[in-house]
Structure formats: C-alpha cells, structure tokens
Amino acid sequence: MQSHHDLKLAIIGLGYVGLPLAAEFSKYREVLGFDINSKRISELQAGYDNTLELSSQELKNLTALHFTSNIEDLRESNCFIVTVPTPIDNQKQPNLDPLISASSNVGSLLKKNDIVIYESTVYPGASEEVCVPILEAQSGLTFNKDFTIAYSPERINPGDKNHKLSSIKKVTSGSTNETAKIVDDLYASIITAGTFLASSIKVAEAAKVIENTQRDVNIALINELALIFDKLNIDTQEVLSAAGTKWNFLPFSPGLVGGHCIGVDPYYLTYKSQSVGYQPEIILAGRRLNDNMGQFAALKLIKKLVKERVHVSGSSILVMGLTFKENCPDTRNTKVIDLINELDDHGANIDVYDPWVNEELNSTTFNLIKSPIKNKYDAIILAVSHTQFIDLGIKQIRSYGKNEHVIFDLKYLFPPEETDLRL
C-alpha cells in the first residue's frame, strides 16, 4: 500500500487557499506550487505575496517550496492538490471554468497510481461528475483503476491570524478506501487540530457547501430583524445585546455579506438542488435579503442626511473600507460597492479610504484616496472593521467631517453614543 510519504506534491492555484497550504506542507517535504498567473509566480519568487497571508521573511524561509507557471514542470509529481477559485457568473450560477481548466491541465500529466485532491468549494457530486471525466479524457486512464481522486474542502479564513490552516480541523475523503486513508494521513501530518474522514466525497463536498450557507442564512435573519427594528425605531444592536444574555442565542450581527465564500457558496447548493427538482426556499430568500443590504444601508444614511438638512446630491461622503472583510486586501465581490453605487445614484461625491487596498482601481462612482482629508465630509461610513480604523479612534475619524456631519458605524466599531447611525 502506498504511503503519504511517497507523494510528490504539486499545488495547483496559489491564492488565499493554495499558498498557505503549499507553505505548510513545505515545512515537511518538497512542494511545487503552480499558478497560471506568471506575474503571481514572479512576485512569490521575489518574496512578495499580494494576498498578505505570508510575509517576505516567511516566504524566504520556505526553502522546500518551489514556484512555477510552466505546467510541464509538474510531470514528476504524483499528487496534485487543486485549489482554484469557484465563483459564480452574472446569473448567479456556478462558474466551474477555473476548475475545468485545472482538471484539464492535471489530466494531461496524470500517470498510473496518481492522486488528484480537490479543495475548491463545489456542489455535492461535482468532483466525480465534472472533474473525473476530464481527467479520464485528458489522460486516457481509468478512474479508480489507474488513478484516484480525493476531496478535502478548504477552511482558510483570509486575514485571520488566529485561526490558521494547521489549527482548523480538516475534513478529508477519497474515491477508494485506500486513497481516503493516504489523503487523511497526508493532511494529518500538517493539521495539528486533527482530521475528520468523511464516508464519501459527496458527503465532504456537501459539508463544505453548507458551512457558509448556514452562516449566510443566520446573518440574513439578523439583517431582516434590522429592517424590522428600523421601522420600529429600535436600536438593533441593543436588542441583540439583550437577547444575547441567553446561553444559546447565536452571536450574529447585521451587515454586508460579500466575499468569495458566504456570498457565493449557497448558490452552488441551490443550483444542485434545483437540478434534482427541489426549489430551495430559505437559502434563496436569505441570499436575496443579504444582497439588498447595501442599498438599505445607503438609503438609511440618505434619510438621516435629509433629516439633518444636508443635500445628498453634491454632498461629500467618505467610505472607510472597501475590501469584503477586515484586515484583508481582497475586494472580490465586496458589497461595499452596492452601498457606494446607491449613494452615487443619488448624486453624492464619494471618497474611499482603505489602507489594505493598494491596487489602482478605475471607478466612475468613487475616488480611491491615500488618506482622508480633514473637515471635508458630510458623512463618514465605517464600512469595514480594519484594525487601523479602530486604532485611529473616533476623535481622529470625526476630524475628517465638517462641523456638522454624520458618522454611520456599519460595523459597530465604537460605542453607540460616539457615533450617529448604525444598522
């Protein structure tokens, strides 16, 4: 029986998931990291990670980790771990193009007894129904006779320095019992929190996709409560604090739900559900509600400005934070954009300040600024809970506003008496 020690690892896709995984494995064995983005490879080879998950020193110390954008360099590998994105398209349907492309690349390299491990979030059945036929077609090999696959869903939390890869329990699975055992041992060699060997690949896929679906629905409930309490003129956070004194009340807060996990994964499950004839009700209702929160937040601010006799058209508004979550440079699927677009539709002039975003963003709806201007703004929106904003303190943040201004604390960064508006 093959051992996990015999595996020569190649990680396919070096984003938020693949790079930390490659780095952790390379502390114990030689690892080859592949990405189709040659610029990304050049940056990593130079010691720069634009996701900011690894520092230059950390990259320098990983002498057993090698990077390439040439797929031919992976021919000696016998275990391929696929960690490419699985986004949705404009119709909110699964976009499996990156996964299909990666499977095609890996299939062209497959040899007898090789193992392909998928970590990308998919709907139950996708690995075996979509990826395996591509692997077979490209390699000319037979599934579960000449090669096997496994599924071990990623649980990376970008920007989180406390819950790191090795300290989060890892779900594993395999297309045969032997492969499942090898793959479980492989991950157990780096995951100090331990592993959970699922009974099948479909179970592991389903477990992953419901993790973020559950969070999405829970947040949607709290967002709906915020809509109701807004109509009743009740402070939502005060209600949540009171209800939270009960031991089994779950601590969720209202807010914008973006990013490439919580705002995306539920659509993979609903797509598969609809394909087998069941129309999901709660999950899609939660998605619709969460997708509308940016517009609700903007309109709440507009009502407040009108009440304060501020003309929204021509007003100056500072949005603090653009990324989809705190302490992370990723702007993919950020719902702060929905808030900005709604304010722009009402004629506001919007500056965006986010110390985590250093890319050149061309936008017709806002100006990305290096630092806020004092005494300029009619309204200041705390849209993302970056540590830098908390460290600034409310006094410094207020200095950016005109003599009369509104601070809208979307993320509850400061006590209610120190700000003017909350969700």
Side-chain angles (χ1 to χ4, degrees):
M1 177 177 173
Q2 194 178 20
S3 162
H4 75 90
H5 297 293
D6 302 322
L7 300 179
K8 297 176 182 176
L9 296 188
I11 311 294
I12 315 297
L14 297 174
Y16 283 93
V17 176
L19 181 62
L21 185 68
E24 198 63 35
F25 273 125
S26 73
K27 294 175 184 177
Y28 307 95
R29 63 174 75 216
E30 295 287 322
V31 177
L32 193 53
F34 169 83
D35 200 288
I36 58 172
N37 185 342
S38 57
K39 182 186 176 187
R40 170 73 166 157
I41 294 300
S42 296
E43 288 178 346
L44 291 173
Q45 287 172 334
Y48 173 64
D49 168 26
N50 63 23
T51 69
L52 305 183
E53 291 296 304
L54 294 179
S55 68
S56 294
Q57 190 58 51
E58 285 174 315
L59 280 170
K60 184 179 178 182
N61 292 341
L62 298 171
T63 55
L65 176 55
H66 313 284
F67 301 110
T68 184
S69 57
N70 182 0
I71 194 70
E72 290 300 317
D73 290 342
L74 278 58
R75 286 217 171 264
E76 296 303 311
S77 304
N78 60 12
C79 181
F80 305 88
I81 305 181
V82 178
T83 59
V84 297
T86 43
I88 51 175
D89 62 21
N90 292 333
Q91 283 71 49
K92 296 178 179 175
Q93 298 288 298
N95 175 8
L96 295 176
D97 289 349
L99 193 64
I100 289 168
S101 176
S103 296
S104 181
N105 277 333
V106 170
S108 70
L109 305 171
L110 270 189
K111 306 174 296 301
K112 204 170 177 61
N113 299 321
D114 283 2
I115 298 173
V116 183
I117 305 171
Y118 289 95
E119 288 214 2
S120 306
T121 302
V122 291
Y123 55 77
S127 299
E128 291 156 298
E129 295 164 11
V130 176
C131 301
V132 165
I134 296 170
L135 295 174
E136 287 187 315
Q138 289 294 321
S139 67
L141 301 175
T142 302
F143 176 51
N144 279 346
K145 177 186 174 188
D146 301 319
F147 74 92
T148 56
I149 71 165
Y151 185 79
S152 180
E154 59 89 5
R155 279 178 167 170
I156 294 289
N157 192 24
D160 190 338
K161 300 306 180 185
N162 295 318
H163 300 94
K164 296 181 77 73
L165 173 68
S166 61
S167 62
I168 303 172
K169 197 157 193 168
K170 198 86 161 70
V171 174
T172 65
S173 64
S175 59
T176 67
N177 290 336
E178 181 180 347
T179 294
K181 178 67 169 64
I182 293 169
V183 170
D184 191 65
D185 288 343
L186 174 67
Y187 283 107
S189 70
I190 63 166
I191 306 295
T192 56
T195 59
F196 180 94
L197 179 55
S199 60
S200 69
I201 287 175
K202 281 186 179 180
V203 166
E205 291 168 327
K208 170 56 184 175
V209 83
I210 71 166
E211 289 174 14
N212 286 323
T213 300
Q214 183 187 61
R215 283 187 57 77
D216 194 40
V217 170
N218 277 326
I219 297 169
L221 171 62
I222 303 302
N223 276 337
E224 186 161 66
L225 294 177
L227 300 180
I228 295 169
F229 295 145
D230 182 64
K231 296 284 188 185
L232 297 174
N233 198 28
I234 301 172
D235 188 294
T236 301
Q237 193 59 32
E238 289 184 12
V239 175
L240 294 176
S241 296
T245 58
K246 190 180 180 189
W247 75 91
N248 59 354
F249 188 84
L250 300 177
F252 286 91
S253 295
L256 307 180
V257 184
H260 41 92
C261 292
I262 299 179
V264 171
D265 295 356
Y267 288 120
Y268 274 74
L269 185 57
T270 57
Y271 166 83
K272 187 62 176 178
S273 173
Q274 290 164 335
S275 76
V276 294
Y278 179 77
Q279 178 65 20
E281 303 291 344
I282 293 175
I283 298 171
L284 286 175
R287 277 283 72 239
R288 285 192 296 271
L289 204 147
N290 284 341
D291 276 346
N292 288 329
M293 285 305 290
Q295 182 184 44
F296 167 74
L299 294 177
K300 182 161 184 167
L301 175 61
I302 289 167
K303 284 169 61 178
K304 177 69 172 175
L305 290 174
V306 169
K307 189 176 180 181
E308 299 296 327
R309 293 187 170 85
V310 174
H311 291 290
V312 178
S313 182
S315 64
S316 292
I317 296 177
L318 173 64
V319 177
M320 297 183 68
L322 183 63
T323 60
F324 86 89
K325 66 172 292 188
E326 68 279 0
N327 304 328
C328 166
D330 199 342
T331 58
R332 283 180 294 171
N333 196 32
T334 173
K335 291 303 175 181
V336 180
I337 291 293
D338 295 350
L339 167 71
I340 291 171
N341 289 343
E342 187 68 31
L343 293 171
D344 176 70
D345 286 345
H346 283 78
N349 299 310
I350 302 157
D351 286 350
V352 173
Y353 169 58
D354 193 320
W356 285 85
V357 177
N358 56 21
E359 58 193 282
E360 292 297 323
L361 290 176
N362 296 317
S363 174
T364 58
T365 58
F366 67 88
N367 302 307
L368 187 64
I369 60 175
K370 297 289 186 184
S371 61
I373 301 167
K374 291 194 173 185
N375 307 312
K376 176 180 178 179
Y377 303 102
D378 296 291
I380 300 165
I381 305 172
L382 300 170
V384 184
S385 53
H386 291 318
T387 303
Q388 288 96 327
F389 298 160
I390 300 170
D391 292 343
L392 276 175
I394 194 66
K395 185 177 179 181
Q396 178 67 27
I397 291 171
R398 279 208 179 274
S399 73
Y400 306 142
K402 295 177 179 177
N403 285 338
E404 298 295 327
H405 63 269
V406 172
I407 290 202
F408 189 1
D409 189 358
L410 273 179
K411 302 298 292 185
Y412 306 107
L413 298 189
F414 301 101
E417 64 272 12
E418 295 183 357
T419 59
D420 307 303
L421 196 62
R422 305 198 294 180
L423 274 182

